[in-house]
Amino acid sequence: MTEQTTTGGAGTAPVRGDVGQAEQVALDLTDPRLSQQQGLAGATRAAIVRIRNGDVGSLPVLVGLVIIVVIFQAANPTFLSSTNLVGLASQIASTGIIALGVVLVLLLGEIDLSVGSVSGAAAAILAVSNVTHGMPPGVAVVLAVGAGAVIGLIHGVLFTRFGVPSFVITLAGLLVWQGVQRQVLSLTGTINLPRGGWLLRLGEFRYFGYTGSTVIAVLLVAGYLVTQLRRRQARLRAELSAPPASLILVKAGAIAALAGLVIYALCQDLGVPYIFVILLTLVIAVDWVLRRTRYGRAIFAIGGNIEAARRAGLRVDLIRTSVFVLASTLAATGGVVEAMRAGAAGRDTGTGDVLINAIAAAVIGGASLFGGRSRRYAALLGILVIGAIPNGLNLVNLSDELRYIITGSVLLAAVIVDAITRRGREATGTG
Amino acid sequence: MTVTQPETAARTAVLALTGISKRFGAVQALDAVDFAAHAGEVVALVGDNGAGKSTLVKVIAGVGPADDGTIEFDGRPVHIGSPHEAQHMGIATVYQDLALCDNLDVVGNLFLGSEISRGGLLDEPTMERRSWALLRELSAKIPSVRVPVASLSGGQRQTVAISRSLLGDPKVVLLDEPTAALGVAQTAQVLNLIERLRERNLAVVMISHNMADVFAVADRVTVLRLGRNAGEFVVARTTNEELVAAITGAADNVVIQRQRRAEAGAHPHGADPRGADPYGADPRGADPYGGEQ
Ligand SMILES: Nc1ncnc2c1ncn2[C@@H]1O[C@H](COP(=O)(O)OP(=O)(O)O)[C@@H](O)[C@H]1O
Ligand SMILES: [Mg+2]
């Protein structure tokens, strides 16, 4: 915890071509214009400087979330009750998963307006194949999610082949897939999932208690520690600066504390919903793909400058098509999760404010509508805000109409912030 | 090891184009153009707007293959049918619009499309390390490779774009107006970088409108005018006026007449009708229509 330098020390080779610099200075810190950011104190200083310079990261969303929580808690003390939080955690799972796909499409600089309908259609396919046709639940899930993939493939191919704006294709999809949803459900209207089957239990009745959720939290923290420490080692080996081990430990401690808080809050009641864990898993998986793989890098590049991506030899059309496939697949997964939570699939599943909430969550979380930029975990942070608002308004008995107005206004505010930030970036030339 | 003298370099023409023609509908963009680039040499390609410079670069880069003519690379006749083929062969191109991703950092841009990964995951430390090594080698002044390139100055962005072209270990680097839209200090930075490329024994082809830049870094100048060769000059043995005359084709311009009178005694080879000395002023440069009218 007392470590002060970030470089390898004795074995470090002198940095080439940089006469006059101390031998221990890491390769990436030799420029005199860079302030030396070493140790825990240095990291803290650097963070403060970043915030002062207006690089506030996800801070505004977090602050917004705290404000929302404080207001609702003041209005109705049951807001932070374990029962309500368990409900909130289940409610946001499906839209959060759908928002994850929206983030991917936004990164390309495109939009998918069909995600709500696709989730509804997938829920319908799930229910009909499981209940009406008696297929095993696993097969029903594969069919529903697979249908999402096929739908995404159709969108992607239409988009890349004919160059029709994604806005128009997916607007048509919004109507078409909702029609398919109703067609599949036919006269039944709503199909209840069998109460005893694992499909339903996975959603509404399955929760991780103290033991289960603690195991998950330990795995999460251990995974974080291992990857961060390995990354640190790799950077030191490459003679680059690396975050001090103490900082990694502090961050891991913070994650552990947060996880502990969530477990404590939820497990007083039913526990951590399975579907919330599914959301978390997908959020982390998508983040990994985006930040750590060539595929993710390609998505960012295409959103940043498609011509540059093309000249760099990226298979632009293939990647764009695959992102539409992913978006629809995630939307379908969200639909399946929603059917599990509600214990039914109906004509209304995936309709109403599902689409707008998913887009709002993505944008509020920090995915730019202009492509190529997104803060980490945008979908999760955004859906916490977007989910907390109707949940809290419900507790103070506000009408649906007002809920719509408020959610719509929040989305508008987020979009304006996005546009202003973009203009600021262009003016100051910062990324 | 490092070849800087044009006379020595002339023995190793990496790239030689002869009789290149290209037509766009009614426009004869290139008409039997000859062009050569040598290892360890910076050759400037100059000419007025519409002279065919970009078209010639596109022929070399494989973006727009020629209708007619031959290309030799490393002494062997080749066909460059696509940008990929050109790249594979060892011809790197830095276009005027740079083609950087503003949202990616310097490392992300340098390795775009050829990222190093291990076990399916990006190997960021290795890429960052190589980025620093490359930038150091080029004496490039970039404070951090972890900032989005949007936050870099024009000269730094140009540096990133040029460095990026070197990752594929090319033999020829084509630069389309590398100093256009740059300030004085930033232009100097880029010109320094071009020096470094020459030291690495690369053949550098630089399109430029700026005579000061040409005189600062180029060893040789090829002038195009209305799609034809309009002169071939050794920078050390030419003047600004001479170049301007070749570019504009202003044979009867006062400046040129005075220059001719002054040079008549000094450079007798300037009168050689067919340019037997490849580095002598080509008479077509002074009067491109002399043979026809
Ligand atoms: N794609 C094209 N289609 C039609 N004409 C073209 C095209 N590209 C270039 N040209 C014409 O060819 C000539 C040479 O152009 P270019 O090579 O761009 O000149 P420079 O780069 O020297 O300014 C110009 O007359 C231009 O209008
Ligand atoms: Mg041009």
Side-chain angles (χ1 to χ4, degrees):
Chain A
M1 293 297 243
T2 54
E3 188 182 6
Q4 283 301 310
T5 57
T6 58
T7 48
T12 315
V15 173
R16 250 186 309 163
D18 231 309
V19 197
Q21 288 285 343
E23 280 194 5
Q24 266 100 348
V25 174
L27 250 152
D28 54 333
L29 291 182
T30 49
D31 193 289
R33 282 166 289 186
L34 287 177
S35 50
Q36 297 289 302
Q37 303 163 350
Q38 294 184 346
L40 201 50
T44 317
R45 267 198 306 279
I48 292 171
V49 167
R50 269 204 307 278
I51 290 171
R52 279 225 192 100
N53 289 342
D55 180 8
V56 289
S58 297
L59 209 58
V61 198
L62 293 172
V63 170
L65 195 58
V66 169
I67 292 173
I68 289 171
V69 168
V70 168
I71 291 176
F72 284 139
Q73 181 66 12
N76 186 339
T78 56
F79 182 71
L80 281 182
S81 71
S82 189
T83 314
N84 190 50
L85 290 179
V86 169
L88 180 61
S90 334
Q91 282 157 22
I92 63 173
S94 73
T95 315
I97 293 168
I98 298 171
L100 213 46
V102 174
V103 168
L104 294 175
V105 179
L106 286 181
L107 272 176
L108 286 182
E110 302 297 334
I111 188 78
D112 189 340
L113 299 177
S114 72
V115 285
S117 298
V118 172
S119 76
I125 291 170
L126 175 84
V128 167
S129 42
N130 182 227
V131 178
T132 316
H133 297 290
M135 292 182 195
V139 175
V141 170
V142 169
L143 269 183
V145 173
V150 171
I151 290 171
L153 188 63
I154 294 171
H155 291 164
V157 168
L158 287 175
F159 173 63
T160 52
R161 276 289 151 81
F162 301 112
V164 184
S166 56
F167 154 74
V168 180
I169 291 172
T170 57
L171 186 61
L174 183 148
L175 208 60
V176 170
W177 309 122
Q178 194 174 329
V180 168
Q181 172 184 5
R182 297 189 173 189
Q183 198 68 39
V184 168
L185 289 172
S186 65
L187 300 173
T188 346
T190 298
I191 299 178
N192 290 316
L193 295 174
R195 292 235 135 219
W198 70 258
L199 260 186
L200 185 63
R201 292 215 316 261
L202 187 68
E204 199 167 21
F205 295 133
R206 285 269 172 122
Y207 300 89
F208 289 107
Y210 277 109
T211 320
S213 43
T214 304
V215 169
I216 292 171
V218 167
L219 285 177
L220 189 72
V221 174
Y224 177 81
L225 268 179
V226 168
T227 50
Q228 290 302 306
L229 289 174
R230 280 179 58 179
R231 190 180 88 105
R232 181 183 137 81
Q233 279 310 312
R235 286 187 63 84
L236 291 180
R237 240 181 288 121
E239 290 168 51
L240 298 165
S241 71
S246 53
L247 181 67
I248 294 174
L249 284 177
V250 167
K251 282 187 177 172
I255 293 174
L258 188 67
L261 199 65
V262 170
I263 292 169
Y264 174 74
L266 298 182
C267 289
Q268 284 175 41
D269 195 64
L270 290 168
V272 183
Y274 273 23
I275 54 176
F276 183 69
V277 175
I278 294 177
L279 169 66
L280 281 187
T281 310
L282 287 174
V283 163
I284 292 172
V286 167
D287 182 69
W288 261 66
V289 170
L290 283 178
R291 314 275 160 181
R292 306 290 302 270
T293 67
R294 296 188 67 182
Y295 175 68
R297 181 62 49 86
I299 293 175
F300 274 93
I302 292 171
N305 185 344
I306 190 164
E307 197 44 47
R310 212 170 258 137
R311 285 192 206 158
L314 299 182
R315 296 163 80 180
V316 169
D317 282 348
L318 188 71
I319 291 163
R320 292 201 294 181
T321 304
S322 74
V323 168
F324 279 97
V325 171
L326 275 181
S328 292
T329 306
L330 284 165
T333 308
V336 169
V337 163
E338 179 58 21
M340 291 171 174
R341 187 191 72 82
R347 297 167 78 94
D348 293 343
T349 311
T351 62
D353 55 359
V354 171
L355 168 67
I356 199 85
N357 281 348
I359 293 177
V363 176
I364 289 167
S368 172
L369 286 169
F370 302 101
R373 286 182 171 86
S374 172
R375 305 216 178 279
R376 298 187 69 176
Y377 310 120
L380 180 63
L381 292 175
I383 198 60
L384 282 173
V385 171
I386 283 299
I389 292 172
N391 179 292
L393 291 177
N394 220 19
L395 290 180
V396 292
N397 287 322
L398 280 179
S399 63
D400 259 11
E401 291 75 16
L402 213 58
R403 237 179 57 197
Y404 278 23
I405 292 174
I406 291 180
T407 305
S409 307
V410 171
L411 169 61
L412 197 61
V415 170
I416 291 172
V417 169
D418 180 33
I420 292 174
T421 324
R422 175 184 153 92
R423 239 191 299 161
R425 266 196 314 264
E426 275 169 1
T428 60
T430 51
Chain B
M1 180 197 90
T2 310
V3 186
T4 46
Q5 290 296 308
E7 278 79 4
T8 340
R11 275 185 251 120
T12 50
V14 187
L15 183 69
L17 286 76
T18 28
I20 297 293
S21 296
K22 174 126 185 138
R23 173 179 278 280
F24 295 107
V27 182
Q28 186 75 39
L30 294 175
D31 187 4
V33 169
D34 298 343
F35 180 79
H38 308 89
E41 176 199 48
V42 178
V43 51
L45 186 59
V46 303
D48 216 343
N49 281 330
K53 307 181 295 289
S54 296
T55 307
L56 185 61
V57 164
K58 282 176 188 159
V59 168
I60 302 171
V63 177
D67 302 334
D68 211 358
T70 56
I71 304 177
E72 281 180 33
F73 189 81
D74 258 350
R76 282 185 307 277
V78 290
H79 172 79
I80 309 177
S82 73
H84 185 78
E85 279 179 59
Q87 231 153 28
H88 194 73
M89 213 175 274
I91 300 172
T93 314
V94 181
Y95 294 96
Q96 203 168 345
D97 55 353
L98 297 187
L100 297 175
C101 291
D102 276 350
N103 58 333
L104 297 185
D105 61 20
V106 175
V107 178
N109 271 288
L110 285 177
F111 284 90
L112 185 60
S114 50
E115 293 88 354
I116 302 170
S117 51
R118 260 169 62 182
L121 296 179
L122 293 173
D123 186 355
E124 294 284 0
T126 303
M127 286 193 280
E128 186 168 339
R129 190 186 160 72
R130 287 209 196 156
S131 301
W132 281 116
L134 179 65
L135 293 173
R136 285 277 150 70
E137 219 172 298
L138 300 170
S139 313
K141 302 227 169 9
I142 295 200
S144 168
V145 293
R146 286 302 179 192
V147 293
V149 297
S151 66
L152 299 181
S153 71
Q156 289 171 333
R157 290 166 59 83
Q158 184 65 256
T159 302
V160 172
I162 294 176
S163 308
R164 172 176 160 68
S165 73
L166 298 183
L167 280 177
D169 247 331
K171 290 185 169 164
V172 178
V173 180
L174 306 175
L175 307 173
D176 195 353
E177 304 238 15
T179 58
L182 293 187
V184 176
Q186 298 186 1
T187 297
Q189 193 179 332
V190 171
L191 295 181
N192 260 333
L193 181 57
I194 294 175
E195 277 306 309
R196 297 285 98 73
L197 301 188
R198 182 192 9 229
E199 282 168 15
R200 286 173 67 133
N201 209 31
L202 290 166
V204 183
V205 179
M206 173 180 84
I207 293 189
S208 185
H209 264 124
N210 188 326
M211 290 306 123
D213 294 354
V214 170
F215 279 96
V217 288
D219 301 302
R220 199 159 52 83
V221 185
T222 296
V223 182
L224 289 187
R225 194 174 114 70
L226 300 170
R228 297 163 175 224
N229 282 98
E232 188 81 35
F233 303 89
V234 175
V235 168
R237 284 190 250 135
T238 189
T239 62
N240 196 17
E241 285 74 17
E242 213 171 0
L243 279 187
V244 171
I247 290 167
T248 57
D252 296 324
N253 158 331
V254 180
V255 183
I256 308 306
Q257 286 169 355
R258 170 176 295 181
Q259 203 167 350
R260 272 194 186 155
R261 279 197 300 275
E263 286 184 358
H267 298 291
H269 66 270
D272 184 336
R274 244 351 255 187
D277 173 0
Y279 293 111
D282 188 317
R284 283 179 298 166
D287 183 6
Y289 298 114
E292 292 158 21
Q293 288 166 350

